[in-house]
Amino acid sequence: MKAIDESQTTGGLSFLDVEPFPQELPEGNSVEPRGIFYPTPSQDGAMARIRVPGGYLSAPQLQAIASIVDDLTSGYIQVTTRANFQIRVILPKYTDTVLGRLREAGFHPSGPGADNPRNVTTNPVSGFDPEELVDTQPWCQELALRLTSDAAYRNIPGKYNIAIDSGGQATVMEDSNDLSAHAVLAGGDVAFRISLGGASPDKDLGILVAPGNLVETMLATVRVHNRLRDQTNRLRFRAKYLWEVHSKEEILAGLEQELPEGILLTRTELPRQLLPAQPLAEHPQAGVFLQKQPGLHYIGVAVPVGQVSASQLRALAKLSEEYGDGTARLTVWQNLLLPNIKTADLAAVKTGLLDAGLHWRQSNLRSGIIACTGSRYCPYAHSDTKGHAIALGDYLEEHLEVDQPINIHFTGCPFSCAQHYVGDIGLLAAKNKHGTEAAYHVFEGGGFGQNHSIGRKVSEAPVPFQELKPYILNILRDWQEKRNPGETFQHYIQRAKAT
Ligand code: SF4
């Protein structure tokens, strides 16, 4: 998949008791987005993380969030690496009002522990990716609904991440999730491979799941993990630790017990990486792309490090209603897509984006820079990741042009919300004990999807931010100058490591 036009410029809050979710999904292929408001006390007011399953939003919901933010918060809106919205600095006196207005907009708060299963993600282009094997959005919605409306999943560990990949050219970075499903072709039919604790071949469960059994199988896998996991140590609750004490056979035996009657496990000996799969497109989240529906396009709108204003949300909602289908998608790349734009309307949408201070141009450097919340709003952060990410992007663009897309992931603490270990370059903020300048550990060679790889730490000691800029510049210059023709950054790094 390639962008078809790159020429343009450029205090102690409690959960509320609310009614349960409806148990039925709309018929057919349609989906109904729902959310959860999760007020978390943060440094200077509550933060609300608004669950947006599959990143699927309507234009009126964008408008509603813009109005809530304008009327009741500091004005800070962020698209997160799990395709949520976060709004911040909500005074305690406004929390009820915020909740009420989110509910009116179709974002449903739920009960205790509701944020433990994090927002379920799927490829943001699912449903219109010309190369996808199947539209995974409906299963994503159903899974999200089941997880947040059934008390059986309230005690699963916090930060439990789940993703469904549609097998197309755009990825949802499912590698870093506790539980993931990946669409593949098996004997001419679409099926899903399931991975627990990461999407590397050694975490693959070795089963093929028919689409109709996908949701039940994923829910059963969640229950198995929850039953087998270390219940005493919160640092070892993630799915990847199961493999240290349980064999694949034990996990599969547990799964067989948990599956509802009538669903049987289909095992496969085929290694996951040998199954048919498309080569990944780089940065499919920024630019203008053809959809599988003739004559229609989606536009990936650049939202640097996920920060967007209320007026920009309104502009996006208006463009979607006027020229699209009245919907938008948030992505795990911290930006936003407008789908179903006719060829004749592309120019008007581009102009509208520029008028709103946004743009749609893919940038080899900037489109792949993501950053977690960082010290401006997260109490765990050791650095101002978002500020540093923007500053690094400015610096690199001033000094270098790269001819291939590159991903740089800034994360502020070992929780790694921005998944530094799967970036081409990963930056993990170091503990700052004595008020010294923020510094980062540097990782190289990470990747996701078919390029799955965990980045290797290359800095001997944390690099202070001012030194980090030329440090990264030199890494990228070396790649551009010393690589083989057309060689990707990851391949160059891995080859260099091997010699
Ligand atoms: Fe906060 Fe750490 Fe997550 Fe960054 S990675 S948002 S610092 S918890």
Side-chain angles (χ1 to χ4, degrees):
M1 185 188 301
K2 183 155 174 50
I4 60 171
D5 187 345
E6 301 177 355
S7 61
Q8 180 83 353
T9 63
T10 78
L13 300 165
S14 59
F15 291 97
L16 301 188
D17 289 323
V18 295
E19 62 273 285
F21 292 149
Q23 296 298 307
E24 299 290 329
L25 280 174
E27 286 188 357
N29 212 28
S30 61
V31 290
E32 188 175 343
R34 302 187 181 282
I36 285 179
F37 176 57
Y38 179 81
T40 305
S42 66
Q43 286 159 320
D44 45 6
M47 177 273 283
R49 183 180 300 124
I50 303 165
R51 180 184 293 273
V52 185
Y56 188 108
L57 283 162
S58 68
Q61 286 178 315
L62 287 172
Q63 296 273 18
I65 289 173
S67 299
I68 291 166
V69 166
D70 265 353
D71 297 347
L72 300 166
T73 80
S74 67
Y76 181 102
I77 315 170
Q78 179 192 358
V79 182
T80 76
T81 52
R82 290 212 64 76
N84 297 292
F85 272 126
Q86 284 183 174
I87 55 180
R88 291 186 177 269
V89 194
I90 305 164
L91 298 179
K93 66 182 178 182
Y94 291 140
T95 52
D96 281 1
T97 314
V98 171
L99 280 166
R101 286 175 59 172
L102 283 169
R103 287 170 59 190
E104 278 169 23
F107 296 107
H108 296 247
S110 189
D115 200 42
N116 283 0
R118 287 287 202 258
N119 193 36
V120 183
T121 57
T122 193
N123 310 69
V125 298
S126 191
F128 42 89
D129 177 356
E131 306 297 338
E132 71 186 359
L133 295 178
V134 65
D135 176 2
T136 45
Q137 189 66 248
W139 296 304
C140 177
Q141 298 295 325
E142 187 184 342
L143 183 59
L145 196 59
R146 295 276 301 277
L147 275 171
T148 52
S149 57
D150 187 335
Y153 305 104
R154 293 263 162 85
N155 69 338
I156 70 173
K159 283 183 176 282
Y160 197 92
N161 293 331
I162 301 177
I164 305 176
D165 189 279
S166 63
Q169 288 191 331
T171 174
V172 66
M173 284 202 291
E174 77 276 17
D175 312 58
S176 57
N177 285 255
D178 291 274
L179 172 62
S180 65
H182 187 101
V184 295
L185 272 181
D189 295 323
V190 173
F192 288 89
R193 298 293 291 251
I194 307 291
S195 289
L196 190 60
S200 61
D202 60 333
K203 304 285 192 306
D204 184 283
L205 290 179
I207 57 173
L208 285 170
V209 178
N213 295 333
L214 179 64
V215 171
E216 290 298 347
T217 304
M218 292 187 85
L219 289 170
T221 312
V222 173
R223 295 194 297 275
V224 171
H225 170 210
N226 206 27
R227 180 153 52 81
L228 296 181
R229 73 183 166 93
D230 187 333
Q231 308 282 343
T232 60
N233 183 349
R234 75 180 287 273
L235 296 177
R236 296 180 60 80
F237 58 57
R238 305 304 292 259
K240 62 184 178 184
Y241 294 114
L242 276 194
W243 295 96
E244 293 178 7
V245 279
H246 296 284
S247 67
K248 186 189 284 187
E249 279 311 311
E250 286 171 330
I251 294 170
L252 289 176
L255 189 51
E256 268 167 343
Q257 284 172 15
E258 286 288 343
L259 280 171
E261 216 176 306
I263 300 182
L264 300 175
L265 282 187
T266 304
R267 304 201 183 205
T268 176
E269 296 299 322
L270 280 178
R272 180 175 176 268
Q273 69 270 32
L274 295 184
L275 288 166
Q278 302 288 342
L280 287 179
E282 303 287 355
H283 295 178
Q285 73 280 4
V288 180
F289 297 87
L290 278 172
Q291 296 185 188
K292 65 180 171 188
Q293 296 85 1
L296 294 178
H297 310 71
Y298 76 86
I299 297 188
V301 181
V303 181
V305 295
Q307 289 182 165
V308 64
S309 70
S311 63
Q312 287 173 328
L313 283 192
R314 286 200 182 87
L316 289 162
K318 194 160 170 281
L319 289 170
S320 169
E321 281 180 327
E322 214 167 318
Y323 300 108
D325 64 349
T327 71
R329 308 286 185 278
L330 304 183
T331 85
V332 296
W333 298 97
Q334 300 185 308
N335 73 330
L336 188 145
L337 313 178
L338 297 179
N340 294 315
I341 311 285
K342 293 192 185 88
T343 310
D345 294 330
L346 283 174
V349 177
K350 289 175 186 172
T351 302
L353 291 173
L354 293 174
D355 288 348
L358 296 163
H359 71 83
W360 49 271
R361 185 173 55 108
Q362 191 271 356
S363 155
N364 284 339
L365 279 168
R366 279 189 195 278
S367 298
I369 298 181
I370 62 173
C372 78
T373 299
S375 59
R376 294 186 195 183
Y377 291 104
C378 177
Y380 302 113
H382 304 313
S383 72
D384 176 15
T385 47
K386 285 198 185 296
H388 291 161
I390 289 172
L392 180 68
D394 290 345
Y395 177 85
L396 292 177
E397 278 204 337
E398 196 182 313
H399 291 84
L400 181 72
E401 256 184 50
V402 294
D403 58 4
Q404 287 183 31
I406 188 98
N407 296 313
I408 303 178
H409 295 206
F410 275 80
T411 201
C413 81
F415 283 127
S416 195
C417 297
Q419 297 137 350
H420 64 278
Y421 44 86
V422 295
D424 287 313
I425 296 176
L427 301 169
L428 169 63
K431 262 192 183 159
N432 184 345
K433 289 181 185 158
H434 308 295
T436 49
E437 188 189 354
Y440 289 85
H441 300 285
V442 181
F443 297 73
E444 287 178 352
F448 41 83
Q450 292 143 309
N451 302 323
H452 174 84
S453 177
I454 299 297
R456 185 178 59 109
K457 190 159 107 173
V458 292
S459 53
E460 284 176 12
V463 182
F465 182 65
Q466 285 313 320
E467 293 170 31
L468 185 71
K469 292 192 274 186
Y471 186 103
I472 302 293
L473 180 65
N474 285 338
I475 290 175
L476 293 174
R477 270 200 181 129
D478 274 354
W479 163 52
Q480 293 278 291
E481 290 168 8
K482 298 178 184 166
R483 66 185 170 165
N484 292 330
E487 193 173 25
T488 65
F489 181 81
Q490 188 198 41
H491 193 268
Y492 165 74
I493 291 296
Q494 288 173 347
R495 186 170 54 80
K497 198 169 61 179
T499 54

